[in-house]
Amino acid sequence: MKRRIIISLFCMVFILFASAGCSKEIPNRLNWEVEDFTYTDQDGEKFSLAHLRGKVWVADFIFTNCSTVCPPMTANMAKLKELVEKEKLDVHFVSFSVDPEVDTPDRLKEYGKKFTDDLSNWTFLTGYSQEEIIRMVRNSFKAIVEKEEGNNQVGHATYFYLVDQEGKIVRYYKGEKDVPYEEIVEHIKIIQE
């Protein structure tokens, strides 16, 4: 009888620990909804939020004339892309230009190819007005884009935004330096479970 109780207790404890390991949560989940959009990708094709439905994706903001934060951010995004692919995770990457009047599809494609040979799961977007991207970034990503008159540089957020299959922003992470690659990959795995 005593032995049965011990075995039963052991089984209950095992089940509790096993189930606790399966129900991982992402701390401080944001759940900000990305507003609907239809823009133009680096191939000159229309690309919309609908293309990303059902997919986990990582977004950032860049521009091709950037002389400070964008090159390291884009290199870091390329590294994250490699890590995700090494883990065999299905993730799409999206870089929104914050200087759409300068950043044509061809220019974005040329820029992207400086960082990776494979743009099949990395979309660079343009094809909107400066006002549209300022509004979209503010409304969806809770960030600021600032372009001063007569200045070819654009102020913008330097984060990577993790977005779930329903188009909701889960978390954001440093994108320029000290990128928490392992944490991002772990959070992607949790979302895809």
Side-chain angles (χ1 to χ4, degrees):
M1 182 75 171
K2 196 175 182 183
R3 185 176 169 170
R4 237 189 231 156
I5 292 171
I6 291 171
I7 290 171
S8 294
L9 285 172
F10 177 77
C11 288
M12 286 192 302
V13 169
F14 178 78
I15 289 167
L16 280 172
F17 277 106
S19 63
C22 294
S23 62
K24 288 184 181 176
E25 289 287 322
I26 295 174
N28 305 314
R29 192 176 173 119
L30 299 171
N31 287 323
W32 298 340
E33 197 161 333
V34 176
E35 66 181 40
D36 196 22
F37 64 81
T38 301
Y39 299 142
T40 305
D41 70 14
Q42 70 268 21
D43 294 318
E45 303 290 329
K46 291 296 176 200
F47 188 91
S48 69
L49 184 60
H51 287 93
L52 297 164
R53 287 277 178 225
K55 295 181 182 182
V56 171
W57 49 292
V58 177
D60 73 347
F61 306 101
I62 55 93
F63 63 106
T64 60
N65 275 340
C66 181
S67 60
T68 56
V69 298
C70 301
M73 279 179 62
T74 308
N76 293 341
M77 186 76 102
K79 181 177 177 180
L80 179 60
K81 179 180 176 303
E82 286 176 20
L83 292 170
V84 162
E85 289 169 353
K86 190 175 179 184
E87 293 282 333
K88 298 188 178 3
L89 298 169
D90 184 17
V91 178
H92 199 88
F93 297 86
V94 180
S95 292
F96 294 88
S97 170
V98 293
D99 195 9
E101 291 165 17
V102 173
D103 289 339
T104 63
D106 287 344
R107 192 167 179 143
L108 286 169
K109 189 173 203 171
E110 183 182 321
Y111 179 80
K113 286 191 170 188
K114 290 178 184 175
F115 298 93
T116 182
D117 294 332
D118 177 20
L119 292 176
S120 63
N121 65 336
W122 193 347
T123 302
F124 288 80
L125 292 175
T126 189
Y128 36 81
S129 69
Q130 192 69 42
E131 292 72 30
E132 280 179 279
I133 193 63
I134 288 169
R135 184 186 49 75
M136 191 270 203
V137 171
R138 182 182 61 235
N139 292 348
S140 296
F141 296 88
K142 316 296 185 225
I144 294 173
V145 172
E146 294 178 313
K147 183 169 185 180
E148 293 178 25
E149 194 72 34
N151 189 343
N152 73 348
Q153 296 299 292
V154 183
H156 61 89
T158 58
Y159 297 111
F160 292 164
Y161 294 83
L162 177 59
V163 187
D164 71 12
Q165 298 92 328
E166 296 173 12
K168 290 185 179 170
I169 297 166
V170 176
R171 288 279 301 271
Y172 60 87
Y173 315 83
K174 291 179 181 178
E176 182 190 358
K177 53 187 169 188
D178 303 321
V179 179
Y181 296 108
E182 289 177 14
E183 183 181 22
I184 299 170
V185 170
E186 184 60 30
H187 289 171
I188 290 167
K189 288 178 180 177
I190 292 169
I191 293 171
Q192 290 187 338
E193 281 181 352

